[in-house]
Amino acid sequence: MGGLQFKVGFPIFGHAHRSMKPQSPLGWLIAASLLLPLAIDAQSLVLPGTQPLTMEGDLAAQLVGGIDRYLDRVLADAPKNRARHWNRDLSSPEAYARSVETNRQRLATILGVVDSRAPAQLRASAPLAGDLKGNPAEIGRGKGFRILAVAWNVFRGVQGEGLLLEPDGEAKASVVAVPDCDSTPEQLAGLQPGLPDSDQFARRLAEEGCRVIVPFLIDRSDTYSGLPGVRKLRQSQRETLWRAAYEMGRTLQGYEVQKVLAAVDWLIAQSAGATPKPRVGVVGYGEGGMIACFAGALDPRIELTVVSGYFVNPSLQDEPIYRNVWSLTDEFGSAEIVGLIAPRRVIWERGNYPLAEYPKPGQPHDGAAPGALRRPSADAAQKELEEGSVWLKDVPGVAEWKLIRGEPTDVINDETLAAIRAGLDLPASVLTTQEKVNATRPAPDNSQRLLRQYSQLLEDTQWLMREAEFTRGAFWKKADRKSAAAFVESAKWYKEYFLNEIVGPIPTASLPANPRTRKVSETDAFTCYEVVLDVHPDVFAYGILVLPKGIKPGEKRPVVICQHGLEGRPRDVADPKIESQYYHAFACRLAERGFVTFAPQNCYIGENRFRQVLRKAQPMKLTLWSFIMRQHEAILDWLAAQDFVDPSRMAFYGLSYGGKTAMRIPQIIDRYCLSICSADYNEWIWKNTSARSSYCYLYWGEYDMPEFNLGNTFNYAELSWLMIPRPFMVERGHDDGVAPDEWVAYEFAKTRRQYDALGLGNKTEIEVFNGPHSINGKGTFDFLHKHLNWPKPR
């Protein structure tokens, strides 16, 4: 429940009492004397200057639901609002291509396609050895082509791996054919069973005389997910890689796009000097269709892009989480991505779509994010087409966009294949051969190849994690450390970056606060009121105000915002009847010391319910913090207007997820004069990314934790620097399972050093105590008394 529920109303005014009319002046006097205490009592249930709070039910659930409805509107408005990100010049194809280059680079950034690739080299795939001379990699033959098992370098230790279908004569075109991730390259080439002949589009293109590379993609299984020897998951490998990559500014899609583009690099190199040069195309289905779509949008060298079994879903929260891309829906839909491919050719086939569901029916979540792949409805496809037609009107080259409506079983059907022939300048023909592909030696072991590919990508995220402190060091070079004043001034840019690129702001409050309150409890020392404040339609702030007794007229008290953790409620910290092993009613304890306290309801409650709301927000370049920030602003604005509050002394103190809040919200709301992080401060990037540590969120159910590219920009030390020159403190129990002491000490040393270097060493502290994940309330209480200039109790 959101607190004790009161109905402000009295039965004397009800239907059963309508006959109680006084019949004389004495009767009126008696009735008035009876009603007077009730009227006074009714008034005492409401904080002066506010309206009665009459909301019923679970206010926390309503708060999360309101955010969800707000996001529904943002999502619905996304297509018409995307234009603000674009400045297109439609005067000519060349001018248009130049005008959208910024958008192309933006798409590369959010996909994590930001690493320079190594020079293209193709070699025989393991366990086959050597280069391609003498055909050591040949594993099969088809009509007019050989099949070679190959690998190619991409960057660092990441390699692409798959098949090369090499024509016996001169290549008529160069194609990367990308299968769905649950199909193997061998199946797409007709070398192994599993796909009908009609779906083997790599084989069909090779039979047309194309040189074809077929990359291997990480499948949707959970074969290698989990921490070896510690925890096995039903979370897919694709999700594990997404989690680790997202924190480091990469995505699984981005890695796979890079593999495709590295293959394009090699294909183009092979045709150097050829006259005429063979055209280059990328063709994909399902997950491969998504990769082809993004590759075509990013690389103008790709002359033909063919997408089957994929559409740019505006409701990414419904799909598997590994498809989640920060700010994608805010900036790009199908039309905008086609617009990046224009004036080059695009073929989009609406036929078969892969089906997948997480968790699988009958299985527990076991840490996996829920999501499914389904065939989009005809209405959804039509809506995308109509919106796209408006956006693509007058774009040069859009006449080259062909939409093919196939049957629900089609994967690169005959009509699509004919369009591919035209797009690659291949001779018009219809092959009637049913000649099968023949194996000449065993194909690579698929399970071992999967392990190699998965391990390479996971290790790259670990390399990025290890390098992150140096990457952040370069990012922070603009900070001026000559003095505290100079640092504060230079840190304004970093605050804006954090707000706009990590948090994602929603507009400031659009509604008057309209405060509503009701008293929920009272002791000899304080009175507790539930408070609701409006922020936006459907978005409100809610919490419990704990008001000390004995405040003198005109006296201004300091305020401490006391924040609960995951799945918590205001009553957990602000109800004198609740003794939580984590919170110890610390809002009440501080009120007993004379502080005004307020315990907000934050929106991280409801298990997967709130996490799916976050997933809806992320593609719109928003987070839960986007809403928490505006809710806290409304709370602070209202508190600052109260005659018993000193607006210059409003502090923040949060435990666990409330500690996460302490590391993000006071940093961007300057009205908070200090922040205390309890039971959360640690080496946060390791906490989210490490594939080795059992402390890491990589292997647990909190898929809400990764924040895009945080690892390269802000760890907890850098976030603490955004508090400068305001006081900042960490509270840490030795037995807290959030992270080991060593992680906490290592990170806090950087906080302490920066404060010390700027002459502010007396404004930061850490208290370590023998105890668990809980409020200790000793050194932190002293810290509040000291920096809020409020005397300790005698």
Side-chain angles (χ1 to χ4, degrees), residues 386-683:
E386 290 171 357
E387 292 172 353
S389 298
V390 173
W391 176 253
L392 294 170
K393 187 176 184 296
D394 300 326
V395 171
V398 167
E400 304 291 342
W401 180 27
K402 187 173 183 63
L403 179 65
I404 295 176
R405 293 179 173 85
E407 296 298 319
T409 57
D410 286 350
V411 176
I412 310 297
N413 64 17
D414 288 342
E415 182 182 357
T416 302
L417 188 60
I420 292 173
R421 288 193 197 97
L424 294 177
D425 288 343
L426 300 176
S429 64
V430 177
L431 293 175
T432 59
T433 178
Q434 295 296 317
E435 187 173 328
K436 298 294 183 182
V437 171
N438 296 312
T440 57
R441 70 168 68 180
D445 182 281
N446 194 60
S447 63
Q448 290 302 307
R449 181 170 55 188
L450 172 60
L451 179 58
R452 284 194 301 274
Q453 290 282 285
Y454 174 74
S455 299
Q456 287 172 12
L457 294 185
L458 187 60
E459 172 53 30
D460 195 68
T461 67
Q462 303 308 287
W463 183 88
L464 292 168
M465 178 191 73
R466 293 189 296 269
E467 288 292 306
E469 65 175 299
F470 306 106
T471 309
R472 291 192 302 272
F475 177 75
W476 275 82
K477 280 193 172 178
K478 288 191 282 189
D480 188 342
R481 293 174 166 86
K482 291 193 295 290
S483 68
F487 185 88
V488 170
E489 183 63 28
S490 64
K492 290 179 181 178
W493 183 89
Y494 293 97
K495 285 188 179 184
E496 286 298 310
Y497 185 96
F498 180 68
L499 174 61
N500 292 311
E501 299 301 327
I502 306 296
V503 170
I506 62 171
T508 55
S510 61
L511 297 176
N514 184 26
R516 287 91 76 200
T517 66
R518 62 179 164 225
K519 185 166 74 174
V520 291
S521 62
E522 185 174 8
T523 71
D524 292 341
F526 54 79
T527 307
C528 300
Y529 295 90
E530 283 188 313
V531 180
V532 170
L533 307 167
D534 290 332
V535 180
H536 290 293
D538 289 318
V539 180
F540 62 91
Y542 157 61
I544 293 179
L545 172 70
V546 186
L547 191 59
K549 293 183 176 179
I551 299 178
K552 299 174 183 177
E555 182 182 7
K556 303 284 188 178
R557 294 280 183 97
V559 175
V560 182
I561 303 298
C562 300
Q563 190 64 64
H564 63 76
L566 179 66
E567 301 295 336
R569 297 173 183 271
R571 289 187 61 197
D572 294 332
V573 305
D575 188 329
K577 304 181 199 68
I578 295 178
E579 177 46 47
S580 163
Q581 62 178 318
Y582 307 112
Y583 303 109
H584 304 298
F586 74 104
C588 299
R589 302 292 79 81
L590 286 167
E592 290 169 347
R593 289 169 171 254
F595 296 102
V596 174
T597 65
F598 191 97
Q601 176 70 65
N602 275 2
C603 52
Y604 37 75
I605 186 170
E607 298 182 339
N608 278 346
R609 174 80 171 90
F610 84 81
R611 293 186 173 100
Q612 291 302 101
V613 170
L614 171 62
R615 287 196 55 199
K616 186 182 291 186
Q618 287 170 330
M620 293 305 304
K621 203 179 182 184
L622 298 172
T623 62
L624 297 182
W625 307 117
S626 310
F627 297 90
I628 292 170
M629 174 183 68
R630 297 309 186 199
Q631 290 165 330
H632 279 240
E633 285 178 340
I635 290 166
L636 294 180
D637 287 347
W638 177 71
L639 285 169
Q642 305 309 303
D643 57 10
F644 50 82
V645 167
D646 181 350
S648 68
R649 293 185 290 167
M650 296 193 291
F652 187 94
Y653 184 1
L655 174 102
S656 195
Y657 222 128
K660 292 172 186 38
T661 311
M663 297 307 304
R664 291 160 178 80
I665 298 304
Q667 286 70 7
I668 49 180
I669 300 181
D670 289 337
R671 205 162 206 168
Y672 277 120
C673 68
L674 69 79
S675 180
I676 299 174
C677 175
S678 178
D680 186 67
Y681 187 99
N682 71 101
E683 219 291 0

Side-chain angles (χ1 to χ4, degrees), residues 154-159 456-457 460:
V154 183
F155 50 71
R156 295 188 286 273
V158 175
Q159 297 180 337
Q456 287 172 12
L457 294 185
D460 195 68

